[in-house]
Amino acid sequence: MQKTFEELKKEFGIENLDGLNDAKVLEQREKYGENALKEKKKQSLFIKFLLEFKDALIIILMIAAVVSLIVDPHEWVESLIIFVVIIVNAILGVYQEGKAEKSLDALKKMSSPTCKVWRNNVLVTIPTKDLVVGDVIVVEAGDFIPADAKIIECSNLKVDESALTGESVAVDKDATEILDHIVGLGDMKNCLFSSTFVTNGKAKALVTGTGMNTEIGKIAGALLESEDTETPLQKKLTQVGKAIGIMALGICAVVFVLNVLKPTEDGVELGDKLLDAFKIAVSLAVAAIPEGLATVVTIVLAIGVEKMAKHNAIVKKLPAVETLGSTNVICSDKTGTLTQNKMTVVNVYLTELKDLKDLTENEKTMLLYFATCCDASISFEDGKEVRIGDPTELALLDANNLYGRKSNLTRVLDLPFDSDRKLMTTVVEMNGKYLAITKGAPDIVISRSINNQELLDKALDANNTMATNAIRVLALGIKWFDSLPDADVLEQNMEFIGLIGMIDPARDEVKDAIAVASKAGISTVMITGDHVTTAKAIALQLGILHEGELAITSSELAKISDEELYEDIEKYRVYARVSPNDKVRIVSTWKKKGYIAAMTGDGVNDAPALKKADIGCAMGITGTDVSKQAADMILTDDNFTTIVEAVKQGRGIFANIQKCVKYLLSSNIGEVITIFVASCLVLIPMFAGLGTPLSPIHLLWINLITDSLPAFGLGMEEPEDDVMDKKPRGAKEGFFSNGLMGKIIVEGIIIGCLTLVAYLIGHFVFNHVIGQTMAFLTLSSTQLFHAFNVKSDHTIFSKHTFDNRFLNMAFIIGFVLQLFVIYCPGLNTAVFKFEALSVVQLLISIGLALVMVVIMEISKCFSKIWDKLNIFEKLVLILVSIIIPILLVFIIKPVIKHVSKRYDN
């Protein structure tokens, strides 16, 4: 049995149903708590730290370090360094995870739902979590119910309770329903429940339960499960990482066998030979594994999401960042998105079309009727104007406040606006009679009016005149009743009164944004509920509608089959008078045609289309909670320009991730090539004395410093100037498409060859230790220089080359640290087993590293020629690029010896 309002007031300690004051709100919050569900207990730092070691690549490294320590305990330094690197990587991962959680929490706060509530006798909008038991809330079509509540009064209220009951049909609510026995949730007609939403009508209700004390709170376990935020890209890169790990193990086995098979020097026992072979295999494993790949990609995505938030685009789902870069059609609502959403009444029509000067009393009365048939409100709070409601209705209130009549008409019945009826009706009591005031689309109101046809035809002419000038027109009809009428007769056989015209000017910046989108291969389509002539006028003004392209109405669209729409979808640029089903149909057809479609919307009727689109963009200011829930992204400024900027940022983020992956993998392939080719060369008699060019400690240091820091810098790149001059990525285009993997392999081979040449020069001209030191410096320097090659597809000799401060700092820090470990006494010989290089050796190493820049500049110039080569031709060029540098070592060996001796003397 339900409690009465009197019993509830006594239980909650409230005096009336007019809303709480600030003191009572604090008291209720202290007693009942915040209106929020308990969150899932977060993992401790220690557990997060341990989970960082579950990666397959990290496990391979740990096994290699442990086995190396067991095989040769004297060489404990290298194993220690491996563990240090792994631990540092884990700490970075935990730190980044914490940072990402904070970013997501911040984004949740920015996009957190709000509700309308009576506080201190004023209707205000507050965050849903601030609601308390005893509050009086107001909800209307499109709103989520913020808490459990008992309805005080309602009008034509329907609520979708499927989230709670599973019942897909909206439930009719009735404030007068009395329940004197226990019933199921679905039959509690006079109650509202948290997390359900209003599909029609409006209501005023008393909050009876918040947070975990709501019905949804009692079954909140399922809601506490955190979403999987791993994006398709991250999953793909995880698979790449595993493939690299398996490949590394295979190559390690081959290298181990090769080094066992090489000719044994005199006095070297088999055990020592096996130990050396194992060390080389461990080095290769270290070289092949891109330890920082997953961390870097996660950081780049997190940075991208934060950047987009600063540009007024809140990304709710990380995959949206990736999809944005592929968007090639934007289906945009007109009002507030393409226009300023500042509706202003400019014309009235009673018997003649005129502006708002010298209005007659009848025209002033018409303004009053328009303002009365509105759900919007304008109030003042702490000296500030608070405007709540639809911009069109706010414009009507403004017009009446400035030019109309002041009157407090008592509303006794409402039929809320419905997108199918395109009408709203309010019944007021006047002088013992009831007046039904209906406002809505002129064609609908006029078609239901009983005035003489000549008057109605003139009204239609006035409507067309205004609509042609991009003026939005509303019509007004009235009907008198002696007694309170039934709802089904309100909007029939009305007396047509007049028209009102208002304009929502196009945003100044939108025309340029549409031009940028068009240049980027993105089509802009207007989908609006406005009259077709109004929509066409705005579309022409903004550059959406061009010669040969068409505008179509909902009724005309209904006559077109799905097959015809599929064939001609590219022709239509404006859809007017659309219904919710039309929006879904339009978006679905674009998708079937192979386009990646973004869709904007703000109403509950937009939710299905927002969900259907590849990128659903809800309006942050005018958007309903339902539309925000269905969307992938929320535009906090309701601006079309923000979508285009978000696409630009999305393309930039994807490009940055590709740069990071290209940089890291090419560097690791270069390290693998160095060790693998050196291992193969030892089988040739003339190279029999070769050792390992780089030991595990060298490679780990390079991977930790030279790889990771520049990779982070590449992730912070701003989108390139021409990023919106390119066509979008194809819907089925893979991450490594357009020859990216081929470029990675070729660049890796070049890095490996240059490093190997440095080692061979050092080894044969000087000694093995010098060879290793030169190889180390050449490899690290080549990678540092290569970061600037990867930064852009354009030449390195550009004014933008050094505009990334983080990348510049990473380069300087990386270079200084490499020289530090080579020249720091004790550290160089005891830990890294290096020998300080002479000036000649240093210049040779740096010179070889700069060769990478020269080769990349040539490749950028002749990229079109390279792309035309077949696989065989590319392989021949690669093999030649490996063999020639090795042969050159022996040709220039005497020259290097001579110059070095002369310089030393």
Side-chain angles (χ1 to χ4, degrees):
M1 184 182 293
Q2 283 190 327
K3 294 178 182 177
T4 64
F5 281 114
E6 289 302 318
E7 290 171 328
L8 289 172
K9 286 195 289 185
K10 185 176 180 181
E11 180 183 338
F12 301 150
I14 57 178
E15 297 178 2
N16 53 54
L17 300 179
D18 297 330
L20 305 178
N21 57 37
D22 292 339
K24 190 64 180 176
V25 169
L26 291 174
E27 181 186 323
Q28 296 293 83
R29 188 171 292 125
E30 186 70 28
K31 184 176 180 181
Y32 296 102
E34 276 196 339
N35 183 34
L37 297 176
K38 288 182 181 176
E39 292 190 359
K40 184 182 178 182
K41 189 177 179 182
K42 293 183 177 179
Q43 292 173 329
S44 66
L45 275 175
F46 181 67
I47 296 297
K48 286 180 182 177
F49 180 73
L50 290 180
L51 289 174
E52 290 294 323
F53 299 101
K54 68 178 182 181
D55 187 86
L57 301 181
I58 299 298
I59 292 170
I60 292 170
L61 268 182
M62 290 171 68
I63 292 171
V66 171
V67 174
S68 182
L69 189 61
I70 293 170
V71 171
D72 189 2
H74 298 293
E75 296 292 336
W76 58 271
V77 175
E78 290 184 354
S79 296
L80 177 64
I81 294 293
I82 291 176
F83 281 114
V84 168
V85 169
I86 290 170
I87 290 168
V88 168
N89 194 59
I91 292 170
L92 277 173
V94 171
Y95 169 76
Q96 182 51 40
E97 189 179 334
K99 188 177 177 183
E101 280 182 6
K102 286 178 183 177
S103 298
L104 289 172
D105 288 342
L107 294 179
K108 283 178 185 175
K109 287 177 183 176
M110 289 174 73
S111 59
S112 62
T114 58
C115 60
K116 295 185 282 289
V117 59
W118 283 98
R119 292 272 177 88
N120 301 308
N121 294 318
V122 177
L123 186 64
V124 296
T125 301
I126 64 169
T128 298
K129 69 179 182 62
D130 293 339
L131 209 60
V132 297
V133 171
D135 264 326
V136 175
I137 57 172
V138 174
V139 292
E140 56 190 350
D143 288 346
F144 264 100
I145 309 295
D148 286 5
K150 186 172 182 179
I151 302 170
I152 300 169
E153 58 185 58
C154 67
S155 173
N156 201 26
L157 185 67
K158 292 185 177 182
V159 180
D160 184 333
E161 296 183 342
S162 57
L164 186 65
T165 64
E167 177 58 53
S168 58
V169 179
V171 179
D172 290 301
K173 294 292 183 177
D174 184 0
T176 62
E177 182 93 2
I178 298 173
L179 301 176
D180 55 3
H181 59 283
I182 297 173
V183 296
L185 294 178
D187 295 320
M188 297 178 75
K189 306 290 187 183
N190 60 357
C191 292
L192 302 175
F193 300 104
S194 176
S195 296
T196 62
F197 69 89
V198 181
T199 60
N200 198 64
K202 57 184 178 179
K204 183 179 179 181
L206 175 69
V207 175
T208 57
T210 58
M212 296 304 289
N213 294 319
T214 61
E215 292 298 329
I216 204 77
K218 294 172 185 176
I219 53 172
L223 299 178
L224 299 183
E225 293 297 322
S226 58
E227 293 183 5
D228 178 21
T229 57
E230 190 176 52
T231 71
L233 172 60
Q234 288 172 314
K235 290 176 183 175
K236 183 172 282 188
L237 290 177
T238 299
Q239 292 170 356
V240 170
K242 287 179 180 176
I244 289 171
I246 294 168
M247 195 165 58
L249 289 176
I251 296 173
C252 287
V254 171
V255 168
F256 178 79
V257 171
L258 287 174
N259 279 276
V260 170
L261 293 176
K262 74 177 181 180
T264 307
E265 296 177 16
D266 295 334
V268 177
E269 296 182 5
L270 179 61
D272 292 333
K273 187 177 181 181
L274 289 172
L275 181 60
D276 289 338
F278 178 76
K279 285 180 181 179
I280 294 170
V282 169
S283 298
L284 190 59
V286 172
I289 295 171
E291 297 90 349
L293 184 62
T295 304
V296 169
V297 171
T298 306
I299 289 174
V300 172
L301 273 174
I303 291 169
V305 169
E306 288 175 8
K307 269 187 186 177
M308 293 177 78
K310 289 175 183 175
H311 285 92
N312 301 314
I314 300 173
V315 177
K316 289 172 58 187
K317 302 166 185 176
L318 279 180
V321 177
E322 300 163 34
T323 312
L324 270 169
S326 301
T327 301
N328 46 21
V329 61
I330 301 173
C331 300
S332 177
D333 183 33
K334 178 182 76 68
T335 306
T337 310
L338 300 173
T339 57
Q340 294 178 18
N341 204 14
K342 295 178 181 176
M343 297 298 292
T344 305
V345 175
V346 291
N347 295 125
V348 294
Y349 174 85
L350 199 64
T351 56
E352 61 174 327
L353 189 60
K354 60 192 290 189
D355 58 22
L356 296 180
K357 291 179 182 177
D358 304 321
L359 297 182
T360 65
E361 286 303 310
N362 285 341
E363 288 166 341
K364 290 180 180 179
T365 299
M366 182 175 72
L367 286 179
L368 171 64
Y369 286 168
F370 267 114
T372 302
C373 188
C374 286
D375 289 327
S377 67
I378 300 175
S379 60
F380 289 88
E381 186 180 335
D382 298 329
K384 292 182 180 179
E385 187 181 54
V386 178
R387 301 167 68 86
I388 298 176
D390 181 79
T392 300
E393 295 194 337
L394 288 169
L396 295 175
L397 295 181
D398 286 332
N400 185 57
N401 289 339
L402 290 170
Y403 307 104
R405 289 173 44 200
K406 306 295 182 289
S407 177
N408 293 320
L409 298 177
T410 305
R411 292 166 64 162
V412 294
L413 181 65
D414 288 308
L415 282 183
F417 176 80
D418 181 89
S419 58
D420 293 324
R421 290 177 15 254
K422 295 184 174 63
L423 298 171
M424 174 183 176
T425 299
T426 292
V427 179
V428 297
E429 189 175 0
M430 290 179 65
N431 304 322
K433 289 190 174 184
Y434 294 92
L435 174 64
I437 305 169
T438 299
K439 79 173 194 301
D443 48 348
I444 304 294
V445 173
I446 290 172
S447 69
R448 300 187 183 195
S449 297
I450 57 174
N451 307 64
N452 69 69
Q453 194 58 45
E454 183 182 355
L455 185 148
L456 296 178
D457 287 343
K458 286 182 178 179
L460 284 171
D461 289 341
N463 171 52
N464 290 334
T465 300
M466 287 188 280
T468 303
N469 293 310
I471 293 174
R472 184 174 186 183
V473 187
L474 289 177
L476 186 81
I478 63 171
K479 190 174 183 181
W480 288 94
F481 296 91
D482 293 326
S483 59
L484 191 64
D486 294 329
D488 57 357
V489 299
L490 292 179
E491 297 172 349
Q492 304 296 330
N493 302 318
M494 298 178 285
E495 177 191 353
F496 172 77
I497 297 298
L499 305 171
I500 200 165
M502 60 186 73
I503 191 166
D504 178 14
R507 291 179 183 265
D508 296 332
E509 68 277 14
V510 165
K511 188 172 183 178
D512 291 337
I514 289 171
V516 169
S518 179
K519 195 175 181 183
I522 302 169
S523 303
T524 302
V525 176
M526 180 193 290
I527 302 179
T528 178
D530 275 350
H531 195 281
V532 67
T533 50
T534 306
K536 282 176 70 175
I538 292 287
L540 285 167
Q541 183 183 342
L542 292 175
I544 293 174
L545 194 61
H546 303 95
E547 189 176 343
E549 295 172 341
L550 305 173
I552 188 172
T553 64
S554 178
S555 56
E556 291 169 337
L557 185 63
K559 298 173 185 176
I560 298 175
S561 68
D562 289 343
E563 290 75 19
E564 289 174 304
L565 182 61
Y566 178 85
E567 289 300 321
D568 298 333
I569 190 73
E570 287 101 339
K571 293 181 183 177
Y572 299 111
R573 283 292 179 266
V574 175
Y575 297 86
R577 283 289 191 260
V578 292
S579 68
N581 289 336
D582 290 334
K583 295 178 183 180
V584 174
R585 187 183 175 201
I586 293 163
V587 171
S588 298
T589 306
W590 278 110
K591 290 181 69 176
K592 283 179 189 173
K593 199 80 173 177
Y595 285 81
I596 302 296
M599 170 78 196
T600 71
D602 57 3
V604 63
N605 59 335
D606 293 320
L610 289 173
K611 224 167 190 178
K612 187 72 178 176
D614 296 291
I615 297 286
C617 308
M619 302 298 107
I621 300 172
T622 59
T624 59
D625 291 334
V626 175
S627 65
K628 292 176 186 176
Q629 186 79 5
D632 305 291
M633 188 168 75
I634 297 172
L635 310 179
T636 59
D637 59 355
D638 290 14
N639 194 337
F640 177 87
T641 308
T642 302
I643 305 172
V644 179
E645 181 62 33
V647 171
K648 179 181 178 181
Q649 292 296 328
R651 288 188 179 188
I653 291 164
F654 192 85
N656 286 350
I657 292 172
Q658 282 191 317
K659 289 172 188 176
C660 291
V661 172
K662 181 182 179 183
Y663 176 74
L664 289 170
L665 292 187
S666 62
S667 298
N668 282 94
I669 287 171
E671 294 165 9
V672 170
I673 291 293
T674 303
I675 295 170
F676 182 73
V677 174
S679 299
C680 293
L681 288 176
V682 296
L683 298 176
I684 302 172
M686 64 185 293
F687 295 105
L690 284 181
T692 311
L694 296 158
S695 66
I697 190 172
H698 303 155
L699 293 165
L700 283 167
W701 179 263
I702 290 171
N703 288 353
L704 182 65
I705 304 299
T706 314
D707 282 6
S708 298
L709 290 178
F712 292 146
L714 290 170
M716 293 183 182
E717 276 286 294
E718 291 295 326
E720 292 192 45
D721 292 340
D722 63 349
V723 73
M724 294 299 278
D725 295 340
K726 301 171 184 174
K727 299 300 178 187
R729 286 184 297 108
K732 297 180 181 178
E733 193 173 299
F735 182 80
F736 294 101
S737 59
N738 295 322
L740 178 61
M741 183 53 78
K743 290 175 184 176
I744 290 171
I745 293 170
V746 170
E747 288 166 21
I749 290 170
I750 296 168
I751 292 171
C753 288
L754 292 171
T755 306
L756 190 60
V757 168
Y759 171 69
L760 292 174
I761 290 171
H763 178 82
F764 286 108
V765 177
F766 305 103
N767 58 59
H768 171 68
V769 177
I770 291 293
Q772 279 195 324
T773 311
M774 288 178 66
F776 172 84
L777 183 58
T778 300
L779 177 60
S780 58
S781 302
T782 302
Q783 291 179 4
L784 288 170
F785 288 131
H786 191 45
F788 288 97
N789 293 326
V790 174
K791 183 177 185 287
S792 173
D793 289 332
H794 303 297
T795 176
I796 200 171
F797 303 106
S798 162
K799 63 180 180 179
H800 298 298
T801 299
F802 300 107
D803 58 5
N804 185 331
R805 292 181 181 178
F806 193 95
L807 184 59
N808 296 340
M809 287 301 297
F811 178 85
I812 293 168
I813 292 169
F815 214 92
V816 169
L817 286 174
Q818 306 314 322
L819 294 176
F820 177 75
V821 297
I822 291 171
Y823 290 103
C824 179
L827 180 67
N828 57 356
T829 54
V831 178
F832 285 89
K833 307 280 175 57
F834 284 151
E835 190 174 316
L837 299 178
S838 68
V839 173
V840 172
Q841 294 159 355
L842 179 68
L843 290 174
I844 292 170
S845 301
I846 303 297
L848 284 169
L850 285 169
V851 171
M852 184 69 188
V853 177
V854 176
I855 293 172
M856 290 302 297
E857 283 300 299
I858 294 171
S859 72
K860 286 175 182 179
C861 291
F862 298 100
S863 59
K864 290 181 180 178
I865 297 173
W866 171 263
D867 292 338
K868 289 178 182 177
L869 297 178
N870 59 40
I871 296 174
F872 177 75
E873 290 167 336
K874 288 179 180 178
L875 283 173
V876 170
L877 281 176
I878 291 169
L879 285 171
V880 169
S881 68
I882 294 173
I883 295 167
I884 290 176
I886 295 172
L887 293 175
L888 280 174
V889 170
F890 294 94
I891 295 170
I892 63 173
K893 175 179 173 182
V895 178
I896 295 171
K897 270 190 174 182
H898 176 72
V899 172
S900 184
K901 284 180 182 177
R902 187 168 181 179
Y903 187 89
D904 291 341
N905 292 333

